[in-house]
Amino acid sequence: MSQHSGGEAAARVTLRHLRERVAEGGRFACLTAYDATFASLIENAGVEVVLVGDSLGMVIQGHDTTVPVTVEQMIYHSACVARGCRRALLMVDMPFLSYASPQQAVANAGRLMQEGGAQMVKLEGAAAQVEIVAALSAQGIPVCAHLGLRPQSVHKAGGFRVQGRDEAAARQMVEDARLLEQAGADMLLLECIPAPLAETITRGAGVPVIGIGAGPAPHAQVLVLYDLLGITAGRQPRFVKNYLAGGGPIQEAVARFVEEVKSGRYPGPEHAFR
Ligand code: KIV
């Protein structure tokens, strides 16, 4: 059986490191993982934030959306990933309806941290989640606020669609990002929004911003691991790049993603929405 993190223990990536990196104009890479083996492989390839995404509902469980994913399932996968992840910062999604009130959010985030080993939680938010973010922050729980396309709201949004395309929606998203940061969000994640809007939000942010389908401006990029490996079934969104297309070892494909994110070569104009 393979070792998850052989050799000398490297220092753990912390929020402070990431803030310093961003302040110096640097970038970092984030990738999803759902098990210990891939967690270890991707952090050894240079990924600094490992996300246990509720995308596991789709890519692991085979659902059409992330809505059926439960807190118990997130804890299970997070604990698996935590055993393989020794250096990267471990961020874990709060699933649908696990943060409907401040009390419920604190209780469930506490479980993700204590039982699942999370170091940071991510929730899908807008102005309506300001109180939730403030309650988590007051308890010392690091929070990433996920704006733009929020897959847990897919039924209300009427599908997986690019968000913030009209002026009013774009203005609202800029304001939501400001309010969530003011409430204590330590990071923002922007999914599927026009590149110019992501640039406006990133420029105004005082915390690291991760993008997916949000153009080149955010300080970091995230992809679903199975998309990066080109093994997700069906038509892929335009921001996805298959890093295994040319063949070779998986670890080298992930290392190419990390290098392209850090050098600003990914995402290219062909991956962005306007
Ligand atoms: O669940 C997930 O994997 C995510 C990323 C796509 C950002 O939220």
Side-chain angles (χ1 to χ4, degrees), residues 28-32 47-51 91 210 220-223 257:
F28 62 92
C30 175
L31 204 52
T32 67
V47 168
E48 287 169 298
V49 178
V50 172
L51 169 65
M91 174 155 70
I210 303 178
Q221 297 291 327
V222 61
L223 282 176
F257 165 69

Side-chain angles (χ1 to χ4, degrees), residues 32 34 51 53-55 93 122 146 189 191 212 222 224:
T32 67
Y34 315 103
L51 169 65
D54 61 355
S55 51
D93 266 343
K122 175 164 81 60
H146 179 153
L189 186 146
E191 177 165 0
I212 174 166
V222 61
V224 168

Side-chain angles (χ1 to χ4, degrees), residues 52 82 202 207:
V52 184
T202 303
V207 295

Side-chain angles (χ1 to χ4, degrees), residues 26-224:
R27 293 167 184 267
F28 62 92
C30 175
L31 204 52
T32 67
Y34 315 103
D35 64 58
T37 301
F38 269 124
S40 175
L41 182 148
I42 68 174
E43 74 165 14
N44 286 333
V47 168
E48 287 169 298
V49 178
V50 172
L51 169 65
V52 184
D54 61 355
S55 51
L56 68 86
M58 299 172 77
V59 299
I60 301 281
Q61 298 174 339
H63 294 297
D64 288 339
T65 74
T66 58
V67 170
V69 178
T70 65
V71 172
E72 297 302 329
Q73 291 164 352
M74 291 307 298
I75 291 172
Y76 172 81
H77 284 280
S78 180
C80 293
V81 168
R83 286 181 214 113
C85 180
R86 306 287 162 89
R87 194 185 70 84
L89 186 139
L90 180 53
M91 174 155 70
V92 180
D93 266 343
M94 300 199 69
F96 182 58
L97 288 190
S98 69
Y99 50 96
S101 70
Q103 294 76 5
Q104 188 198 31
V106 170
N108 284 324
R111 291 195 64 199
L112 291 171
M113 294 181 85
Q114 293 184 315
E115 300 171 48
Q119 292 160 332
M120 176 171 215
V121 297
K122 175 164 81 60
L123 55 80
E124 296 181 11
Q129 278 70 43
V130 160
E131 217 191 319
I132 308 288
V133 169
L136 292 169
S137 188
Q139 298 304 322
I141 299 173
V143 187
C144 175
H146 179 153
L147 298 108
L149 170 59
R150 292 179 283 148
Q152 292 169 13
S153 306
V154 61
H155 297 306
K156 196 166 168 63
F160 296 100
R161 314 164 71 86
V162 178
Q163 300 293 307
R165 272 197 155 140
D166 66 77
E167 212 179 302
R171 219 176 310 117
Q172 184 62 54
M173 209 183 297
V174 172
E175 178 63 0
D176 290 349
R178 193 186 66 75
L179 291 171
L180 289 162
E181 184 181 333
Q182 199 178 57
D186 302 278
M187 227 184 247
L188 301 176
L189 186 146
L190 307 175
E191 177 165 0
C192 284
I193 64 172
L197 174 58
E199 189 175 347
T200 303
I201 295 174
T202 303
R203 277 222 198 112
V207 295
V209 179
I210 303 178
I212 174 166
H219 311 114
Q221 297 291 327
V222 61
L223 282 176
V224 168

